[in-house]
Amino acid sequence: MRRLTIFVPLLAACATTARQSDAPLSIPPAVVTAPDPAPRAWGPAGDGLAAADTLPQLDIRPTPEPEAVARIVREGTTNSHAAADLQYLTDVIGPRLTGTPAMRRANDWTAERFRAYGMDSVWLEPWPFGRAWERGPMTLTLVAPHRRQLVGYSWAWAPGTNGPVTGDVVYVDAKTEADFTRRFAGTLAGKWVMTSPPQPVPNPDGPPLTAADSARVRAAIRELYAPPTDSTELAFRQRRLSLIAREPIAGLLRDGAKEFGLVTMSGSPESIYPMPFLVVSHEDYAQFHRVLALGERVALQADVRNTFSSQPVTAYNTVAEIRGSTNPDEIVLLGAHLDSWDIATGATDNATGSIAVLEAARILKASGVRPRRTIRFALFSGEEQGLYGSERYAAAHAGELPKYQAVLVLDNGTGRITGMSLQGRAELHDAWTSLLQPVSALGPFLVQARNKGGTDHLPFLPYGVPAFNFDQLSRGYDHTHHSQVDTFDHAVTEDVAQAATVMAATAYQLANLPVLLPRGQRRAN
């Protein structure tokens, strides 16, 4: 899942539509705005209402089919294939960086699994991705103020060093172009450049944070990433990297922005860097900053070997469906992104979501239910670079989107489903409460109106399609997200099985609703 939501224009040589920031971020995995002021919760132990809701509700309720839903729940909870498929996808198929042969292998494997589980149709949908990038070997050594080996990673879509490169580290803390010109212009040749102070990362082994401590950390992070209010500083911030690029620097350094040596990885073919760009642990980055503040020398040696494709490549979405019995041209879409970052095996981001979609397909077929509308399953690629695969899918299927009942996406880690955020569609609160009621034994669930960003439901919203991203337990997602420990060991397979079952049951009921859900505001041309 993408969670980089603060955009800083990159080098002039890069695409103007770049979607990545030049500052390390640590933001909650789902960008959440406009919370429901009165969310309502229900589950097996309650009557369903946590607060009164004064907004008029649409009278949309599924036709009770207790036997069919019971078969779905029984199949999902007693015969789950989620753990075995998740292990194979992560341990054997492995990392799935879009544009690489490994990603195509994942497309082919998931297509084969959909066929094995009896889908009526299975296919791969190609789309143009851009230049592919693959990570090569890297060594990183601290040379001064003392010598030791470091762990670091190249930012994706950044070049290598073309052999070992040694240089001093410098912190470019200029606020204006005039300040940069006076203090740094002409002095950065051969230097490793830091452009941000360390991100506040509290010591997890220190005293427990008080409410005041937490508030200070949040305030510091907000201040660190807030756009400048001074127009001169804002103009410099927008030009900073292009000014730095004029200097023959060794490369850029970035804070890993997590504790325990974990890092946050990202990058995009729309933001190809002309110089090496290294992510180091927060602990090392903070040390560099402290030592430089003492006036002491910090120097690094790096040997980084990355490769780019010579030409643009084709990426693929894996798509399958169970054909509807009476309204096959109307579609409920279950989606997740299959691609991952490549410094681990992409377990919680987002093999767990992809396997939940695959398992939901298996559950529906194995339980013998036959939906009236088509239920389609899409495993998107290119999500980590900017929701590219789902954007391409939505554009390619624009003509049929008016007949999409809903798009349901899972992409918030390995945790069990805890409810639904309605993307501001508060009038659907009672409808979603009704959809989740038959699987209340798998809850409790919370239905709320809040908006969520950063996942593959977003490209469908401008077309008016009711599109949603399930809420989930975090299960340590802040640690595994985009990091080198996003592996099968951190997956909670029973939660994935629960999520698949909830997705299957809600998709089936949506497929059998007597009406299409009302369209949202259409914004696409």
Side-chain angles (χ1 to χ4, degrees), residues 138-480:
M138 172 176 165
T139 59
L140 184 63
T141 304
L142 180 67
V143 175
H146 52 260
R147 190 175 185 90
R148 63 186 175 92
Q149 294 298 116
L150 304 177
V151 175
Y153 298 89
S154 175
W155 191 252
W157 279 272
T161 57
N162 194 29
V165 172
T166 302
D168 286 0
V169 176
V170 60
Y171 173 38
V172 175
D173 59 349
K175 301 296 184 183
T176 66
E177 186 167 347
D179 187 27
F180 175 85
T181 301
R182 178 176 59 84
R183 297 169 55 207
F184 297 104
T187 70
L188 299 180
K191 303 293 179 59
W192 293 100
V193 176
M194 304 165 58
T195 60
S196 298
Q199 165 145 333
V201 176
N203 178 5
D205 296 321
L209 293 180
T210 65
D213 293 332
S214 297
R216 281 193 294 271
V217 171
R218 288 194 298 268
I221 292 174
R222 283 196 299 269
E223 180 180 359
L224 183 60
Y225 299 118
T229 56
D230 179 81
S231 59
T232 303
E233 184 176 349
L234 178 61
F236 170 68
R237 183 81 64 87
Q238 294 171 337
R239 284 174 43 79
R240 178 174 57 192
L241 286 180
S242 61
L243 292 170
I244 291 173
R246 296 176 183 176
E247 312 269 336
I249 67 171
L252 297 168
L253 299 178
R254 182 182 180 104
D255 188 346
K258 299 179 188 283
E259 63 267 44
F260 298 127
L262 301 177
V263 302
T264 302
M265 178 53 56
S266 195
S268 167
E270 288 190 356
S271 304
I272 295 176
Y273 279 80
M275 77 282 284
F277 189 2
L278 309 184
V279 186
V280 300
S281 73
H282 167 74
E283 292 86 350
D284 290 335
Y285 191 92
Q287 179 198 359
F288 301 164
H289 189 263
R290 291 192 303 268
V291 173
L292 289 173
L294 294 175
E296 299 287 342
R297 177 176 177 241
V298 178
L300 299 176
Q301 181 183 83
D303 187 357
V304 185
R305 305 178 189 184
N306 302 324
T307 58
F308 290 86
S309 65
S310 59
Q311 300 294 328
V313 298
T314 298
Y316 299 86
N317 297 324
T318 306
V319 187
E321 67 182 25
I322 298 172
R323 191 79 171 159
S325 60
T326 59
N327 301 89
D329 60 335
E330 297 177 355
I331 295 170
V332 177
L333 179 69
L334 296 186
H337 72 88
L338 183 58
D339 65 301
S340 78
W341 289 110
D342 61 328
I343 59 175
T345 57
T348 68
D349 191 19
N350 186 33
T352 49
S354 294
I355 293 302
V357 170
L358 175 65
E359 174 68 0
R362 188 201 66 79
I363 291 169
L364 288 165
K365 200 68 176 179
S367 62
V369 299
R370 191 68 183 178
R372 298 171 193 169
R373 295 181 180 87
T374 294
I375 301 179
R376 187 172 289 175
F377 311 91
L379 303 181
F380 303 111
S381 56
E383 190 273 351
E384 295 294 7
Q385 289 71 49
L387 310 181
Y388 296 159
S390 52
E391 285 182 351
R392 292 287 186 167
Y393 177 97
H397 293 265
E400 68 183 21
L401 292 183
K403 291 189 175 183
Y404 274 43
Q405 172 71 292
V407 172
L408 311 179
V409 167
L410 192 73
D411 185 16
N412 288 157
T414 187
R416 64 195 292 114
I417 287 175
T418 59
M420 180 58 79
S421 290
L422 299 180
Q423 210 65 33
R425 301 289 302 275
E427 72 278 9
L428 296 176
H429 185 285
D430 286 359
W432 265 100
T433 297
S434 297
L435 290 166
L436 290 168
Q437 179 61 51
V439 290
S440 60
L442 300 178
F445 300 107
L446 175 70
V447 178
Q448 51 190 332
R450 68 180 181 169
N451 291 296
K452 294 174 68 177
T455 79
D456 285 309
H457 70 294
L458 294 180
F460 296 91
L461 294 173
Y463 296 88
V465 178
F468 312 98
N469 175 28
F470 284 100
D471 294 334
Q472 298 172 251
L473 288 182
S474 68
R475 297 291 199 194
Y477 192 43
D478 277 347
H479 292 135
T480 59

